[in-house]
Amino acid sequence: MHVALNKRQNWWPHFAVLAAYTLLTLVMTWPLAFNWATAIPGDSFDGWQNYWNQWWIKVALVDRLQNPYFTDLLYAPTGVELYFHTLNPFNGLTTLPIQLSLGLIPAYNGVVLISWVLGGYGVYLLALWVLGQRLEVRDWRSESSADRPISTLQPPVSNHLAAFFAGLVFTFSPFHMAHLLGHMQVMALEWLPFYVLYLLRAIGLVQHSRSWRRSALMAGLFLVLAGLCDWYFVLYLLFFPAFAVLWSWLWPATSRRSASFVQRFSAPVAPALVAGALFLLLLGVILVPMVREARQFSFMVRPAADLYTFSASLMDFLVPNRLHTLWRAESMNWVGNQVAPLSERTISIGYLPLVLALVAAWRDRRRSGFWLVCAFCFALLALGPRLHLGNITAADIPTGNTISEQWTPYALLNRLVPFMRISRSVSRYALMVQLCVAVAAGIGLAAFARLLWPGGKPSRAALPRLAVLAACLILLFEDWVAPYPLSPPDTPAFYQQLKSLPDTGAVLNLPMNYDRPGYLLDQTVHEKPLTVAYISRDDPRTLTERAPLLQHLRHLGPDILDVDPAQVGLTVLHDLGIGTVVLDRYKMPGGLEREYTEQVAAALFAGQQPLYSDERITAYHVPAPATAAPYLLLGPTGWGPLQGEEVGGGFCLVGPAPALVTLLHAPAGGALQVRYRTLDEAGLTISGPDQAILATLPPAPAGHTALVDLGAAQHVALQATGAGGVAIESLGLVPAP
């Protein structure tokens, strides 16, 4: 018979476990504890994006009292929506008191402490419940003698130790430590085990005809918290109930086997539906605009090649920890994914957890079967649209935008599940593999401890505890990554000076041939709007790819807007409200990136003294142009991305949707010069206001040029007629013929 422990006995292990996870987090992330207020962990890239996220949450909710999912501080003057950006508002809200009292760096590191401690504690509670230690119910499937709580077979403290070990497996896993490099939204995984625990408890309660709604609502609450950290988590946790419900159908609890067919098959579904309903109720205000955006635009959908690039190889699960201190440098060349970033291919399960999971399969199949099957299913998903057992190289990445293999589980889900293609980091399904293996390893360790204590002989009572302690030490050695890289902020002193200046408009940071999160770090100091920024999903509606000068600086050369950037540059900068242009030479050490960027800047500010200059940066104040120069501005929709740069002739593809062009400062009576080529015998229609047709251009080969009299039109739309589309090679304003 199970005997409940008194309150002191119930709670002291939990306090001890939380304290142990806290201490071990400080040890495993060393030397972060000694740099708590001066540096963040990571590689000085994505970390600054999440650093900015915390700052923006404070600005939006404290300083401005506005919706944080839109900001006018990035991609000024249009601003940008942040629904598909990894904003992870939970972390910003939770650490807001730290930010307000101690600063941004301690707030960032506070997220680290919360995530690692609660991540381990959540799996500890989950494993403790699976092992049968009394929380509220004994077991989620059955109360048969074969599934008696393990606490009736050995001292309860051994259950706590085995569960503690399971928490270590999860929270100090190579997956978790790899995303400490800068992916705050991924490292904040602490709510996943809580959701799993309460969902399974609710399923167990409903199967035993006991009150289950409270547990289901708690599962929904933890699903909400997971969604406020990362939408990837929500995707994983939508698959998990399907596995749990299917398992409960195949192996129902003893008390449900005599129930009717409808009762037996509908009962396990109810908790998942309640949890999902609460999630939709609380986060619908965010999900509705996301669904609307996803239906209207496709910029958040990743190219098919990404799904192959960011998939896992089977060997990525089986090699040792790539971040381990002893072999970190050599591990980059180990078998596995050779093309994904380090953080996306560091998903080693660990040899001791694998061995103990096998022990669980051998000694306690009834309790471990579900977790092992779930781990296998999520591992299949992590392998992506094409199964790789060994290396994944650049040659394995297909061209085009379709998934060629349609028989793998991941490829099938991409066809069947709406919006599945929005996610690209396929290997992150390894997180759920790690969670399931952690629980199975805890079961295996408890089973091994029972083998060391046969018959309950007092003389051997210490052996289970010593075995668990040894397992913890071996695991911590497997996961050892200290000293962990740290990134102190490297913001130039000029930005503090810029903050104190009167309103000088937006800041254009150069170089801008690709987006750099370091500019977000600088903004937390100077607090001026940024013309070019960094978000998780490039939004084509921003001006980066639509305005002359910005296009040239982005692509380091001529774009389809046929204009001299030096001629129209000051007019464009003035129109966009840019007050300061800053060149950072540390971010463009050489090559075309530096040569072209400095050449354009020198032409723009010829004869003008810099606002500030040192060995690293040169800043210019943007003067008003003496005369506004005419130029074209591409519209926010209808234009495909610039293609074909590598062969010397870039083009933008136009389809049947109107591709808008706005004429700015253009005198009446000008003409639009279009160089184009058509695909599959398509034609090109150019219309003015009220859809009045200005010209219909016939199919033409590459390099064909046409002049279209614009009259008084200040806005025109280009549309392809017929199949195939039209490649626009250049657009320019010329005097009317």
Side-chain angles (χ1 to χ4, degrees), residues 262-549:
V262 174
Q263 291 175 327
R264 177 175 165 181
F265 281 83
S266 63
V269 179
L273 293 178
V274 169
L278 181 62
F279 171 80
L280 293 175
L281 178 65
L282 296 182
L283 291 191
V285 66
I286 302 173
L287 288 170
V288 169
M290 290 182 70
V291 172
R292 184 175 61 247
E293 289 276 292
R295 289 173 61 88
Q296 187 175 0
F297 304 102
S298 61
F299 65 85
M300 71 291 296
V301 177
R302 307 309 301 165
D306 282 6
L307 305 181
Y308 295 85
T309 301
F310 292 91
S311 293
S313 162
L314 178 63
M315 290 305 299
D316 288 320
F317 289 103
L318 301 178
V319 297
N321 179 8
R322 294 184 189 271
L323 284 177
H324 199 285
T325 306
L326 297 182
W327 48 75
R328 187 177 300 170
E330 295 81 2
S331 71
M332 304 305 162
N333 298 319
W334 286 353
V335 62
N337 191 324
Q338 304 295 315
V339 291
L342 176 64
S343 59
E344 303 298 344
R345 55 192 173 112
T346 303
I347 57 174
S348 313
I349 295 176
Y351 294 122
L352 182 59
L354 277 175
V355 169
L356 290 174
L358 293 176
V359 171
W362 170 45
R363 299 293 300 179
D364 199 347
R365 289 189 297 273
R366 293 274 296 177
R367 208 178 303 269
S368 64
F370 169 72
W371 301 101
L372 295 174
V373 170
C374 276
F376 176 77
C377 292
F378 279 110
L380 280 180
L381 291 175
L383 297 180
R386 178 186 295 167
L387 303 185
H388 288 90
L389 303 182
N391 284 333
I392 302 177
T393 65
D396 298 309
I397 310 302
T399 58
N401 202 31
T402 58
I403 298 177
S404 56
E405 288 76 17
Q406 299 294 329
W407 58 270
T408 62
Y410 184 84
L412 291 173
L413 286 171
N414 261 274
R415 294 177 60 188
L416 300 175
V417 178
F419 311 124
M420 186 84 169
R421 282 282 296 277
I422 291 176
S423 65
R424 70 166 183 169
S425 298
V426 184
S427 65
R428 292 183 189 177
Y429 283 93
L431 170 59
M432 296 302 294
V433 178
Q434 195 72 57
L435 174 60
C436 296
V437 170
V439 176
I443 297 170
L445 184 57
F448 180 71
R450 292 202 305 277
L451 290 175
L452 297 177
W453 199 54
K457 295 180 180 180
S459 60
R460 302 180 65 177
L463 287 179
R465 297 172 176 81
L466 292 175
V468 174
L469 177 61
C472 291
L473 293 176
I474 294 171
L475 178 75
L476 292 175
F477 171 77
E478 273 200 89
D479 293 341
W480 184 252
V481 295
Y484 203 86
L486 301 179
S487 296
D490 64 342
T491 304
F494 165 72
Y495 288 118
Q496 191 64 50
Q497 175 185 334
L498 182 62
K499 178 182 179 180
S500 63
L501 294 178
D503 184 17
T504 55
V507 175
L508 174 62
N509 292 105
L510 301 179
M512 55 164 286
N513 54 309
Y514 67 88
D515 294 333
R516 294 159 168 85
Y519 297 151
L520 300 179
L521 165 66
D522 299 336
Q523 188 184 49
T524 64
V525 175
H526 63 69
E527 300 181 354
K528 306 292 185 183
L530 296 180
T531 304
V532 177
Y534 179 92
I535 56 176
S536 304
R537 292 288 187 268
D538 294 335
D539 191 333
R541 293 169 294 181
T542 64
L543 291 165
T544 307
E545 300 278 2
R546 301 196 287 118
L549 178 64

Side-chain angles (χ1 to χ4, degrees), residues 599-657:
Q599 174 187 334
V600 172
L604 282 174
F605 302 106
Q608 180 177 331
Q609 288 296 316
L611 178 65
Y612 177 90
S613 185
D614 61 21
E615 65 175 11
R616 173 175 178 176
I617 68 170
T618 299
Y620 293 97
H621 172 70
V622 177
T627 304
Y631 64 92
L632 301 175
L633 180 70
L634 301 185
T637 58
W639 292 98
L642 185 67
Q643 305 177 56
E645 297 170 275
E646 66 280 358
V647 295
F651 66 90
C652 288
L653 194 64
V654 169

Side-chain angles (χ1 to χ4, degrees), residues 35-118:
N35 298 271
W36 199 258
T38 59
I40 66 171
D43 57 9
S44 193
F45 196 79
D46 281 329
W48 297 126
Q49 174 193 15
N50 286 292
Y51 183 86
W52 180 90
N53 289 340
Q54 291 181 280
W55 174 78
W56 168 244
I57 289 293
K58 189 270 292 186
V59 171
L61 299 184
V62 176
D63 300 342
R64 295 187 171 190
L65 299 177
Q66 72 161 75
N67 174 16
Y69 283 94
F70 175 83
T71 179
D72 59 357
L73 293 181
L74 304 183
Y75 297 103
T78 60
V80 68
E81 290 183 334
L82 301 176
Y83 289 106
F84 290 95
H85 173 68
T86 55
L87 188 59
N88 53 98
F90 171 82
N91 295 316
L93 285 168
T94 304
T95 58
L96 190 56
I98 301 176
Q99 182 181 165
L100 292 172
S101 58
L102 300 177
L104 261 171
I105 293 179
Y108 187 106
N109 294 326
V111 174
V112 176
L113 192 63
I114 292 170
S115 302
W116 262 256
V117 172
L118 289 185

Side-chain angles (χ1 to χ4, degrees), residues 588 590-600:
M588 47 177 177
L592 181 63
E593 177 182 58
R594 182 163 183 171
E595 178 184 336
Y596 185 82
T597 302
E598 290 192 330
Q599 174 187 334
V600 172

